[in-house]
């Protein structure tokens, strides 16, 4: 399950090799990089983010490579890394460590691309849903680039037992986790435990619960996503 939003009639989204981009409608001064969940693509999330777009922000939604996923009996699908099983509350279980680190290197490369195009890292928000949210958390904490904020929807902290030792940066950046209390894919308690682990070494981390929501998103959550993005990537006055 991924984004529940349907296509809007007027589409300003461009695509290149699975990278879906919602271009800024005014002077581009900030970027959101958003990572989809297991088995999804960047397209649906680009549509959802277009609905809440602020004119000065570009939204970039890449699509993961197609991989065999152990959890799904080796069936191939877009995946940021392999998944061996569902997470439990201990946060200490077998994970695709090399795959997670390889995917994080890809995300770090995307951040560098934005910097190369004139957007400083402190004008970038990194976010994602489900597996993409997991990767967003891990990637943000393992880069020395200071990000403006991190969003994790229906997600958990991967390789949790490696932290805080593995952390290289963004321990003071705003981190906001969203989770439905009826989530059966990334269970609500796993989300809570991840939040507790993050709070142990991150100074600006918050967790919000959505009642009666499963492993999906909703209008209230998307408006909260917009509020977080707009707060952390405000419009820069043309006089500054």
């Amino acid at each position: 399950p991924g984004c529940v939003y349907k296509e809007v009639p007027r589409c300003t989204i461009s695509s290149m090799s699975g990278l879906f981009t919602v271009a800024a409608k005014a002077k581009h001064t900030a970027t959101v990089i958003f990572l989809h969940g297991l088995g999804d693509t960047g397209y649906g999330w680009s549509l959802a983010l277009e609905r809440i777009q602020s004119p000065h922000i570009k939204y970039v939604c890449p699509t993961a490579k197609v991989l065999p996923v152990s959890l799904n009996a080796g069936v191939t699908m877009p995946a940021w890394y392999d998944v061996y099983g569902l997470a439990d509350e201990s946060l200490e279980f077998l994970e695709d460590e090399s795959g997670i680190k390889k995917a994080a290197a890809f995300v770090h490369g995307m951040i560098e691309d934005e910097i190369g195009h004139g957007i400083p890292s402190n004008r970038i928000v990194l976010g994602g849903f489900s597996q993409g949210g997991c990767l967003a958390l891990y990637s943000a904490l393992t880069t020395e680039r200071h990000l403006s904020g991190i969003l994790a929807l229906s997600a958990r902290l991967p390789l949790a037992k490696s932290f805080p030792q593995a952390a290289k940066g963004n321990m003071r950046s705003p981190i906001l986790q969203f989770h439905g209390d009826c989530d059966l894919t990334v269970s609500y308690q796993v989300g809570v435990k991840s939040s507790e682990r993050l709070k142990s070494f991150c100074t600006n981390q918050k967790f919000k619960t959505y009642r009666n929501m499963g492993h999906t998103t909703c209008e209230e959550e998307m408006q909260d996503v917009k509020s977080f993005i707009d707060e952390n990537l405000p419009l820069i006055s043309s006089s500054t």
Side-chain angles (χ1 to χ4, degrees):
C3 177
V4 298
Y5 287 83
K6 296 181 180 180
E7 185 170 355
V8 293
R10 179 193 53 76
C11 186
T12 59
I13 297 167
S14 62
S15 172
M16 181 178 294
S17 300
L19 180 68
F20 297 92
T21 301
V22 182
K25 296 177 181 177
K27 183 180 179 181
H28 173 211
T29 61
T31 296
V32 172
I33 300 171
F34 198 91
L35 311 173
H36 65 77
L38 181 67
D40 201 1
T41 70
Y43 180 62
W45 284 103
S46 67
L47 294 175
L49 292 168
E50 186 185 33
R51 287 176 174 268
I52 61 169
Q53 181 180 17
S54 294
H56 63 288
I57 301 175
K58 179 178 78 173
Y59 303 77
V60 183
C61 302
T63 297
K65 292 182 179 180
V66 173
L67 303 173
V69 176
S70 299
L71 176 65
N72 293 332
V75 174
T76 59
M77 62 188 65
W80 297 111
Y81 49 86
D82 196 7
V83 180
Y84 302 138
L86 296 179
D88 61 43
E89 294 178 31
S90 71
L91 302 181
E92 298 185 6
F93 49 92
L94 184 62
E95 295 183 83
D96 180 14
E97 182 172 354
S98 63
I100 292 168
K101 291 180 176 179
K102 183 177 180 180
F106 168 78
V107 176
H108 296 161
M110 292 193 69
I111 294 169
E112 294 303 318
D113 286 345
E114 290 303 308
I115 294 170
H117 285 96
I119 303 300
S121 64
N122 65 1
R123 294 287 294 169
I124 297 173
V125 163
L126 178 59
F129 172 82
S130 191
Q131 190 185 54
C134 300
L135 180 57
L137 286 171
Y138 186 84
S139 300
L141 292 170
T142 56
T143 178
E144 294 179 357
R145 295 291 194 183
H146 172 64
L147 301 175
S148 182
I150 302 96
L151 279 165
L153 284 60
S154 303
R156 61 175 179 82
L157 178 63
L159 304 178
K161 63 184 178 182
S162 68
F163 291 97
Q165 290 81 8
K168 296 181 179 179
N170 292 299
M171 283 83 79
R172 296 183 180 181
S173 298
I175 301 173
L176 185 52
Q177 285 180 265
F178 295 144
H179 221 107
D181 63 358
C182 294
D183 194 330
L184 300 179
T185 303
V186 180
S187 79
Y188 179 68
Q189 286 305 317
V190 167
V192 170
K193 290 294 184 180
S194 286
S195 175
E196 292 172 355
R197 180 67 63 91
L198 287 165
K199 284 182 186 297
S200 71
F201 65 95
C202 296
T203 61
N204 194 5
Q205 188 271 355
K206 296 180 180 179
F207 184 93
K208 180 171 180 178
T209 300
Y210 296 87
R211 299 298 178 192
N212 302 313
M213 188 175 84
H215 196 66
T216 185
T217 187
C218 64
E219 183 64 31
E220 179 188 356
E221 183 181 43
M222 290 307 297
Q223 288 305 312
D224 289 339
V225 167
K226 176 176 174 57
S227 295
F228 179 87
I229 291 171
D230 289 349
E231 178 182 352
N232 289 287
L233 297 176
L235 179 65
I236 298 176
S237 172
S238 59
S239 62
T240 58

